[in-house]
Amino acid sequence: MFPVSGFAAFSVNAMAAESAEYVYQLGTVLSKLRWPLNPAVSYSVHAGLYFPKGIFFDGTLSFVQPMRTGTMIDRDFEEATAVPPRPGVTKFSEHNCDIIDGIRGIAKLGLQLPMPRTAALRKNGISVLLGPMISFYYSSVSWHSYGGYLQYARIGKDGRYEQWSKHLPKIPVTGSAVSYRQQLLIPAIGIGVEASFPHQLQLFSDLHVSSDVMASGEDIHHARNIRFIDIMGGGFALHGTTRLSWRCLPYFALFASVFYEYSVTTEGISISYAGIKASKPSRYSPPDAAGTSLGGCTFSLGFAFVLGR
């Protein structure tokens, strides 16, 4: 028997997730943009190789479908650091949002070790593999928002913003509002478990954690003709997969899976450009002034061609 086995798979995926961009000053949030990925559709190719002594490699590459998605919301809290501070919203806007493009992928290298089988497991035909792994997760997704409206609090005679209210007049926006590209690279360590059941059923689940979210963001405000580049690191990330597969034919399987993720970093700087197409920076923020996050789930249905195991 050939010592290496593996599979090649294809799936269609539906995402329910949300990204955010943060602007900080002295540890206080001055601005938060919420970028939805709900709904979002992607297509994945997935492959794995299993070597002797339990070593395995697993990789997935996904392509995000350009499409209309949920509503982008921008909130500013410009007087949160004033003296005395006023933590409420000062500016609010809501815009239509399209996904422009996206590539997401993950590569895993790990070790699977057979767990001792109790009498009950043998009787029911169940076997379990458990082991550590390392992974590298990458995500790059672009959005574009347009239309919608603005609601800005009035500035009083004292030069400070008056209380914002959702009942303020809505000022329509025509044309482009904000564009954003978020890129994440997350090295992580994890643990995985794989259980095989009768009738060719198999359940796999893993969990990965990281304290190093390497991220960048390009934030373009079209009406203001200004561009920001955020460079971030540190933070925290957690992601994992649960997959149920049925090997209905000797070389063919069907599967359903869910990929869950959450990552955040607030340890970045922001570089400003006075012009969308400007090549030279006009301003650098102090440290810990920029942040980003991404959280949600991706649900997948697919099929696989299987050799061995």
Side-chain angles (χ1 to χ4, degrees):
M1 182 178 293
F2 194 63
V4 177
S5 58
F7 69 89
F10 173 82
S11 67
V12 178
N13 321 303
M15 291 183 67
E18 181 179 283
S19 175
E21 182 209 25
Y22 308 92
V23 177
Y24 290 89
Q25 182 176 318
L26 303 175
T28 301
V29 177
L30 293 185
S31 178
K32 179 181 178 180
L33 278 75
R34 293 172 50 205
W35 298 87
L37 280 166
N38 184 19
V41 174
S42 62
Y43 311 96
S44 297
V45 289
H46 183 194
L49 289 173
Y50 299 87
F51 301 93
K53 299 184 178 181
I55 299 172
F56 76 93
F57 171 81
D58 186 307
T60 302
L61 185 62
S62 302
F63 303 91
V64 182
Q65 172 71 39
M67 63 182 294
R68 177 75 178 269
T69 186
T71 302
M72 188 279 280
I73 294 176
D74 183 11
R75 291 184 176 91
D76 291 339
F77 312 89
E78 293 169 279
E79 296 205 328
T81 57
V83 181
R86 186 178 295 169
V89 173
T90 56
K91 294 178 180 178
F92 179 92
S93 65
E94 190 169 353
H95 308 280
N96 305 318
C97 191
D98 288 352
I99 299 171
I100 303 302
D101 56 40
I103 296 177
R104 293 156 55 83
I106 186 167
K108 307 173 188 177
L109 178 65
L111 181 66
Q112 290 184 319
L113 302 172
M115 295 293 98
R117 299 181 72 188
T118 64
L121 290 177
R122 291 194 193 93
K123 181 179 179 181
N124 290 283
I126 300 172
S127 60
V128 179
L129 300 172
L130 180 69
M133 63 183 74
I134 59 173
S135 66
F136 292 90
Y137 169 65
Y138 176 74
S139 175
S140 175
V141 184
S142 298
W143 303 260
H144 176 74
S145 66
Y146 55 94
Y149 64 89
L150 311 174
Q151 277 185 312
Y152 287 0
R154 299 180 181 90
I155 298 179
K157 294 181 180 180
D158 60 355
R160 299 192 63 175
Y161 285 95
E162 297 178 357
Q163 185 69 39
W164 180 89
S165 167
K166 65 180 180 180
H167 302 296
L168 286 171
K170 295 180 178 179
I171 303 170
V173 173
T174 57
S176 298
V178 181
S179 299
Y180 188 68
R181 174 183 290 274
Q182 182 195 63
Q183 292 183 294
L184 304 172
L185 177 61
I186 305 172
I189 58 173
I191 188 168
V193 60
E194 182 180 292
S196 298
F197 300 92
H199 309 295
Q200 298 298 314
L201 291 174
Q202 189 178 77
L203 179 67
F204 173 84
S205 185
D206 63 3
L207 182 66
H208 303 253
V209 294
S210 175
S211 60
D212 188 14
V213 179
M214 293 176 279
S216 68
E218 182 183 49
D219 180 11
I220 298 174
H221 291 252
H222 294 274
R224 296 165 59 193
N225 191 30
I226 191 169
R227 179 166 59 103
F228 301 93
I229 301 294
D230 300 334
I231 308 296
M232 297 152 286
F236 170 78
L238 177 150
H239 59 82
T241 301
T242 298
R243 180 174 64 249
L244 178 65
S245 61
W246 173 43
R247 194 163 175 173
C248 51
L249 296 171
Y251 301 103
F252 186 81
L254 301 174
F255 68 89
S257 68
V258 57
F259 174 76
Y260 35 92
E261 61 180 308
Y262 178 74
S263 58
V264 61
T265 174
T266 60
E267 305 171 27
I269 65 168
S270 185
I271 306 169
S272 304
Y273 293 81
I276 292 174
K277 296 183 179 181
S279 58
K280 293 184 179 181
S282 60
R283 180 178 174 272
Y284 293 86
S285 77
D288 302 333
T292 193
S293 67
L294 176 63
C297 294
T298 302
F299 305 90
S300 304
L301 291 174
F303 60 88
F305 298 98
V306 186
L307 181 63
R309 288 173 62 91

